[in-house]
């Protein structure tokens, strides 16, 4: 019983770290970051025995789309290239008894390159174990409630979020974090000048 509770708590914690609803908000501050190359490979991936089948192309397409969706929003002036390798996966199959309640899992390794420095920022590829997001539709096993395509997309989006969390934990990689955008500062200055001119005209 204790083991089941601990496993459930771990899944809740993992889901909190991979909540992708923030895509509707302004992107987290990564300074002058702009996504350059978006490279995903899956030639060495391993599939769990009880997993639904998925091709290399399906994973590459889904992960590239998730990376673009999350990181393509940044419009900085410094290019960074992201490389992701799919190491393994398990996509919960349909028709499994509820007592088993299988969960989908994706394992990836990521490397980030700074174009200006001409080198990768992490010497060893960072490995991530990605669990499906915890919700009412997955608590009994996503294989019973979601299509394979939905499972792959959800895992890919969660993977992109974990990569972003990792990047945010290394602010030294991203010059300009916390700086006020130049355009916003310029607009504010212009407004102040206009207001002052209006006041002077009124006083005159």
């Amino acid at each position: 019983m204790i083991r089941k509770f601990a496993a459930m708590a771990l899944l809740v914690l993992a889901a909190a770290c991979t909540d992708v609803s923030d895509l509707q908000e302004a992107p987290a501050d990564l300074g002058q970051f702009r996504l350059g190359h978006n490279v995903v490979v899956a030639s060495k991936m391993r599939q769990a025995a009880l997993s639904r089948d998925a091709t290399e192309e399906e994973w590459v397409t889904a992960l590239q789309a998730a990376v673009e969706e999350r990181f393509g929003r940044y419009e900085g002036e410094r290019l960074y290239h992201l490389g992701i390798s799919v190491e393994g996966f398990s996509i919960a199959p349909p028709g499994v008894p509820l007592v088993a309640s299988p969960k989908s899992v994706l394992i990836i390794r990521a490397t980030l390159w700074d174009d200006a420095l001409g080198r990768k920022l992490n010497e060893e590829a960072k490995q991530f174990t990605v669990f499906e997001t915890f919700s009412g539709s997955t608590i009994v096993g996503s294989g019973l409630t979601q299509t394979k395509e939905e499972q792959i997309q959800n895992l890919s989006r969660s993977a992109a979020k974990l990569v972003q969390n990792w990047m945010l934990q290394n602010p030294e990689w991203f010059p300009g974090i916390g700086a006020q955008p130049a355009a916003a500062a310029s607009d504010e200055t212009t407004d102040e000048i206009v207001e002052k001119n209006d006041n002077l005209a009124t006083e005159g």
Side-chain angles (χ1 to χ4, degrees), residues 63-83:
L63 279 164
Q64 284 184 328
V67 167
E68 177 61 32
E69 178 183 45
R70 179 161 293 277
F71 295 105
R73 302 178 296 163
Y74 290 92
E75 299 180 347
E77 299 178 354
R78 192 178 181 110
L79 282 178
Y80 292 83
H81 310 302
L82 183 60

PDB file of all heavy atoms in Angstrom, residues 63-83:
ATOM      1  N   LEU A  63       8.171  15.200 -31.773  1.00  0.00           N
ATOM      2  CA  LEU A  63       9.094  15.942 -30.922  1.00  0.00           C
ATOM      3  C   LEU A  63       9.536  17.254 -31.565  1.00  0.00           C
ATOM      4  O   LEU A  63       9.655  18.281 -30.885  1.00  0.00           O
ATOM      5  CB  LEU A  63      10.302  15.075 -30.573  1.00  0.00           C
ATOM      6  CG  LEU A  63      10.070  14.080 -29.423  1.00  0.00           C
ATOM      7  CD1 LEU A  63      11.155  13.011 -29.404  1.00  0.00           C
ATOM      8  CD2 LEU A  63      10.025  14.814 -28.085  1.00  0.00           C
ATOM      9  N   GLN A  64       9.783  17.229 -32.859  1.00  0.00           N
ATOM     10  CA  GLN A  64      10.150  18.479 -33.539  1.00  0.00           C
ATOM     11  C   GLN A  64       9.006  19.490 -33.450  1.00  0.00           C
ATOM     12  O   GLN A  64       9.240  20.683 -33.238  1.00  0.00           O
ATOM     13  CB  GLN A  64      10.511  18.200 -35.001  1.00  0.00           C
ATOM     14  CG  GLN A  64      11.883  17.581 -35.175  1.00  0.00           C
ATOM     15  CD  GLN A  64      12.253  17.395 -36.623  1.00  0.00           C
ATOM     16  OE1 GLN A  64      11.384  17.156 -37.484  1.00  0.00           O
ATOM     17  NE2 GLN A  64      13.532  17.489 -36.939  1.00  0.00           N
ATOM     18  N   ALA A  65       7.785  19.011 -33.590  1.00  0.00           N
ATOM     19  CA  ALA A  65       6.628  19.903 -33.493  1.00  0.00           C
ATOM     20  C   ALA A  65       6.500  20.468 -32.081  1.00  0.00           C
ATOM     21  O   ALA A  65       6.205  21.656 -31.898  1.00  0.00           O
ATOM     22  CB  ALA A  65       5.349  19.148 -33.876  1.00  0.00           C
ATOM     23  N   ALA A  66       6.741  19.640 -31.064  1.00  0.00           N
ATOM     24  CA  ALA A  66       6.634  20.091 -29.674  1.00  0.00           C
ATOM     25  C   ALA A  66       7.729  21.100 -29.335  1.00  0.00           C
ATOM     26  O   ALA A  66       7.493  22.082 -28.622  1.00  0.00           O
ATOM     27  CB  ALA A  66       6.709  18.889 -28.738  1.00  0.00           C
ATOM     28  N   VAL A  67       8.932  20.866 -29.842  1.00  0.00           N
ATOM     29  CA  VAL A  67      10.047  21.791 -29.604  1.00  0.00           C
ATOM     30  C   VAL A  67       9.762  23.131 -30.283  1.00  0.00           C
ATOM     31  O   VAL A  67       9.966  24.200 -29.698  1.00  0.00           O
ATOM     32  CB  VAL A  67      11.371  21.194 -30.124  1.00  0.00           C
ATOM     33  CG1 VAL A  67      12.461  22.252 -30.180  1.00  0.00           C
ATOM     34  CG2 VAL A  67      11.806  20.040 -29.228  1.00  0.00           C
ATOM     35  N   GLU A  68       9.285  23.083 -31.509  1.00  0.00           N
ATOM     36  CA  GLU A  68       8.958  24.319 -32.229  1.00  0.00           C
ATOM     37  C   GLU A  68       7.822  25.066 -31.530  1.00  0.00           C
ATOM     38  O   GLU A  68       7.852  26.290 -31.410  1.00  0.00           O
ATOM     39  CB  GLU A  68       8.562  23.989 -33.668  1.00  0.00           C
ATOM     40  CG  GLU A  68       8.121  25.187 -34.496  1.00  0.00           C
ATOM     41  CD  GLU A  68       9.202  26.248 -34.644  1.00  0.00           C
ATOM     42  OE1 GLU A  68      10.402  25.889 -34.677  1.00  0.00           O
ATOM     43  OE2 GLU A  68       8.845  27.453 -34.713  1.00  0.00           O
ATOM     44  N   GLU A  69       6.834  24.324 -31.060  1.00  0.00           N
ATOM     45  CA  GLU A  69       5.689  24.928 -30.381  1.00  0.00           C
ATOM     46  C   GLU A  69       6.126  25.682 -29.129  1.00  0.00           C
ATOM     47  O   GLU A  69       5.640  26.774 -28.848  1.00  0.00           O
ATOM     48  CB  GLU A  69       4.694  23.829 -30.007  1.00  0.00           C
ATOM     49  CG  GLU A  69       3.467  24.299 -29.251  1.00  0.00           C
ATOM     50  CD  GLU A  69       2.564  23.144 -28.865  1.00  0.00           C
ATOM     51  OE1 GLU A  69       3.078  22.110 -28.371  1.00  0.00           O
ATOM     52  OE2 GLU A  69       1.338  23.275 -29.053  1.00  0.00           O
ATOM     53  N   ARG A  70       7.060  25.113 -28.376  1.00  0.00           N
ATOM     54  CA  ARG A  70       7.495  25.734 -27.120  1.00  0.00           C
ATOM     55  C   ARG A  70       8.587  26.772 -27.329  1.00  0.00           C
ATOM     56  O   ARG A  70       8.547  27.860 -26.746  1.00  0.00           O
ATOM     57  CB  ARG A  70       7.974  24.654 -26.141  1.00  0.00           C
ATOM     58  CG  ARG A  70       8.469  25.214 -24.800  1.00  0.00           C
ATOM     59  CD  ARG A  70       8.492  24.152 -23.736  1.00  0.00           C
ATOM     60  NE  ARG A  70       7.148  23.714 -23.402  1.00  0.00           N
ATOM     61  CZ  ARG A  70       6.351  24.342 -22.547  1.00  0.00           C
ATOM     62  NH1 ARG A  70       6.764  25.458 -21.940  1.00  0.00           N
ATOM     63  NH2 ARG A  70       5.151  23.875 -22.288  1.00  0.00           N
ATOM     64  N   PHE A  71       9.565  26.471 -28.152  1.00  0.00           N
ATOM     65  CA  PHE A  71      10.729  27.350 -28.271  1.00  0.00           C
ATOM     66  C   PHE A  71      10.680  28.289 -29.473  1.00  0.00           C
ATOM     67  O   PHE A  71      11.448  29.249 -29.543  1.00  0.00           O
ATOM     68  CB  PHE A  71      12.012  26.517 -28.315  1.00  0.00           C
ATOM     69  CG  PHE A  71      12.270  25.759 -27.044  1.00  0.00           C
ATOM     70  CD1 PHE A  71      12.047  24.390 -26.981  1.00  0.00           C
ATOM     71  CD2 PHE A  71      12.723  26.413 -25.907  1.00  0.00           C
ATOM     72  CE1 PHE A  71      12.277  23.685 -25.809  1.00  0.00           C
ATOM     73  CE2 PHE A  71      12.964  25.722 -24.729  1.00  0.00           C
ATOM     74  CZ  PHE A  71      12.732  24.358 -24.679  1.00  0.00           C
ATOM     75  N   GLY A  72       9.797  28.004 -30.416  1.00  0.00           N
ATOM     76  CA  GLY A  72       9.676  28.882 -31.579  1.00  0.00           C
ATOM     77  C   GLY A  72       9.072  30.229 -31.227  1.00  0.00           C
ATOM     78  O   GLY A  72       9.087  31.150 -32.047  1.00  0.00           O
ATOM     79  N   ARG A  73       8.558  30.370 -30.010  1.00  0.00           N
ATOM     80  CA  ARG A  73       7.949  31.635 -29.574  1.00  0.00           C
ATOM     81  C   ARG A  73       9.002  32.679 -29.216  1.00  0.00           C
ATOM     82  O   ARG A  73       8.699  33.864 -29.132  1.00  0.00           O
ATOM     83  CB  ARG A  73       7.052  31.386 -28.357  1.00  0.00           C
ATOM     84  CG  ARG A  73       5.939  30.378 -28.610  1.00  0.00           C
ATOM     85  CD  ARG A  73       5.133  30.141 -27.340  1.00  0.00           C
ATOM     86  NE  ARG A  73       5.940  29.533 -26.284  1.00  0.00           N
ATOM     87  CZ  ARG A  73       5.585  29.512 -24.996  1.00  0.00           C
ATOM     88  NH1 ARG A  73       4.454  30.078 -24.610  1.00  0.00           N
ATOM     89  NH2 ARG A  73       6.365  28.923 -24.106  1.00  0.00           N
ATOM     90  N   TYR A  74      10.235  32.237 -28.981  1.00  0.00           N
ATOM     91  CA  TYR A  74      11.288  33.172 -28.567  1.00  0.00           C
ATOM     92  C   TYR A  74      11.830  33.925 -29.779  1.00  0.00           C
ATOM     93  O   TYR A  74      12.059  33.343 -30.842  1.00  0.00           O
ATOM     94  CB  TYR A  74      12.420  32.414 -27.875  1.00  0.00           C
ATOM     95  CG  TYR A  74      12.037  31.878 -26.513  1.00  0.00           C
ATOM     96  CD1 TYR A  74      11.526  30.583 -26.374  1.00  0.00           C
ATOM     97  CD2 TYR A  74      12.181  32.660 -25.376  1.00  0.00           C
ATOM     98  CE1 TYR A  74      11.179  30.088 -25.125  1.00  0.00           C
ATOM     99  CE2 TYR A  74      11.831  32.159 -24.118  1.00  0.00           C
ATOM    100  CZ  TYR A  74      11.329  30.881 -24.005  1.00  0.00           C
ATOM    101  OH  TYR A  74      10.978  30.389 -22.763  1.00  0.00           O
ATOM    102  N   GLU A  75      12.077  35.217 -29.592  1.00  0.00           N
ATOM    103  CA  GLU A  75      12.526  36.059 -30.702  1.00  0.00           C
ATOM    104  C   GLU A  75      13.795  36.824 -30.347  1.00  0.00           C
ATOM    105  O   GLU A  75      13.980  37.971 -30.749  1.00  0.00           O
ATOM    106  CB  GLU A  75      11.402  37.033 -31.090  1.00  0.00           C
ATOM    107  CG  GLU A  75      10.129  36.326 -31.552  1.00  0.00           C
ATOM    108  CD  GLU A  75       9.035  37.295 -31.922  1.00  0.00           C
ATOM    109  OE1 GLU A  75       9.156  38.496 -31.603  1.00  0.00           O
ATOM    110  OE2 GLU A  75       8.040  36.855 -32.548  1.00  0.00           O
ATOM    111  N   GLY A  76      14.683  36.193 -29.608  1.00  0.00           N
ATOM    112  CA  GLY A  76      15.942  36.830 -29.244  1.00  0.00           C
ATOM    113  C   GLY A  76      16.898  36.918 -30.419  1.00  0.00           C
ATOM    114  O   GLY A  76      16.575  36.527 -31.543  1.00  0.00           O
ATOM    115  N   GLU A  77      18.093  37.400 -30.149  1.00  0.00           N
ATOM    116  CA  GLU A  77      19.085  37.608 -31.213  1.00  0.00           C
ATOM    117  C   GLU A  77      20.239  36.619 -31.140  1.00  0.00           C
ATOM    118  O   GLU A  77      21.189  36.741 -31.907  1.00  0.00           O
ATOM    119  CB  GLU A  77      19.617  39.046 -31.125  1.00  0.00           C
ATOM    120  CG  GLU A  77      18.536  40.106 -31.323  1.00  0.00           C
ATOM    121  CD  GLU A  77      19.072  41.513 -31.190  1.00  0.00           C
ATOM    122  OE1 GLU A  77      20.265  41.652 -30.835  1.00  0.00           O
ATOM    123  OE2 GLU A  77      18.315  42.473 -31.441  1.00  0.00           O
ATOM    124  N   ARG A  78      20.173  35.663 -30.235  1.00  0.00           N
ATOM    125  CA  ARG A  78      21.267  34.703 -30.078  1.00  0.00           C
ATOM    126  C   ARG A  78      20.746  33.301 -30.400  1.00  0.00           C
ATOM    127  O   ARG A  78      19.818  32.814 -29.766  1.00  0.00           O
ATOM    128  CB  ARG A  78      21.815  34.759 -28.654  1.00  0.00           C
ATOM    129  CG  ARG A  78      23.128  34.015 -28.444  1.00  0.00           C
ATOM    130  CD  ARG A  78      23.590  34.177 -27.004  1.00  0.00           C
ATOM    131  NE  ARG A  78      24.848  33.505 -26.726  1.00  0.00           N
ATOM    132  CZ  ARG A  78      25.987  34.123 -26.499  1.00  0.00           C
ATOM    133  NH1 ARG A  78      26.037  35.449 -26.538  1.00  0.00           N
ATOM    134  NH2 ARG A  78      27.088  33.445 -26.230  1.00  0.00           N
ATOM    135  N   LEU A  79      21.334  32.657 -31.381  1.00  0.00           N
ATOM    136  CA  LEU A  79      20.872  31.351 -31.831  1.00  0.00           C
ATOM    137  C   LEU A  79      21.381  30.222 -30.944  1.00  0.00           C
ATOM    138  O   LEU A  79      22.558  30.183 -30.564  1.00  0.00           O
ATOM    139  CB  LEU A  79      21.328  31.088 -33.268  1.00  0.00           C
ATOM    140  CG  LEU A  79      20.554  31.760 -34.399  1.00  0.00           C
ATOM    141  CD1 LEU A  79      21.202  31.402 -35.732  1.00  0.00           C
ATOM    142  CD2 LEU A  79      19.101  31.327 -34.390  1.00  0.00           C
ATOM    143  N   TYR A  80      20.469  29.298 -30.658  1.00  0.00           N
ATOM    144  CA  TYR A  80      20.807  28.071 -29.931  1.00  0.00           C
ATOM    145  C   TYR A  80      20.236  26.893 -30.714  1.00  0.00           C
ATOM    146  O   TYR A  80      19.120  26.967 -31.231  1.00  0.00           O
ATOM    147  CB  TYR A  80      20.203  28.085 -28.531  1.00  0.00           C
ATOM    148  CG  TYR A  80      20.801  29.115 -27.597  1.00  0.00           C
ATOM    149  CD1 TYR A  80      20.365  30.434 -27.634  1.00  0.00           C
ATOM    150  CD2 TYR A  80      21.794  28.768 -26.690  1.00  0.00           C
ATOM    151  CE1 TYR A  80      20.906  31.388 -26.785  1.00  0.00           C
ATOM    152  CE2 TYR A  80      22.339  29.723 -25.828  1.00  0.00           C
ATOM    153  CZ  TYR A  80      21.889  31.023 -25.888  1.00  0.00           C
ATOM    154  OH  TYR A  80      22.433  31.968 -25.047  1.00  0.00           O
ATOM    155  N   HIS A  81      21.008  25.829 -30.785  1.00  0.00           N
ATOM    156  CA  HIS A  81      20.574  24.640 -31.511  1.00  0.00           C
ATOM    157  C   HIS A  81      20.302  23.518 -30.512  1.00  0.00           C
ATOM    158  O   HIS A  81      21.112  23.268 -29.613  1.00  0.00           O
ATOM    159  CB  HIS A  81      21.642  24.202 -32.512  1.00  0.00           C
ATOM    160  CG  HIS A  81      22.143  25.309 -33.392  1.00  0.00           C
ATOM    161  ND1 HIS A  81      21.295  26.048 -34.198  1.00  0.00           N
ATOM    162  CD2 HIS A  81      23.398  25.822 -33.580  1.00  0.00           C
ATOM    163  CE1 HIS A  81      22.010  26.957 -34.861  1.00  0.00           C
ATOM    164  NE2 HIS A  81      23.269  26.841 -34.488  1.00  0.00           N
ATOM    165  N   LEU A  82      19.173  22.849 -30.685  1.00  0.00           N
ATOM    166  CA  LEU A  82      18.776  21.796 -29.757  1.00  0.00           C
ATOM    167  C   LEU A  82      18.751  20.456 -30.477  1.00  0.00           C
ATOM    168  O   LEU A  82      18.128  20.304 -31.530  1.00  0.00           O
ATOM    169  CB  LEU A  82      17.392  22.111 -29.180  1.00  0.00           C
ATOM    170  CG  LEU A  82      16.843  21.157 -28.128  1.00  0.00           C
ATOM    171  CD1 LEU A  82      17.767  21.114 -26.909  1.00  0.00           C
ATOM    172  CD2 LEU A  82      15.436  21.594 -27.705  1.00  0.00           C
ATOM    173  N   GLY A  83      19.450  19.494 -29.886  1.00  0.00           N
ATOM    174  CA  GLY A  83      19.469  18.145 -30.431  1.00  0.00           C
ATOM    175  C   GLY A  83      18.860  17.174 -29.428  1.00  0.00           C
ATOM    176  O   GLY A  83      19.224  17.192 -28.248  1.00  0.00           O
TER     177      GLY A  83
END
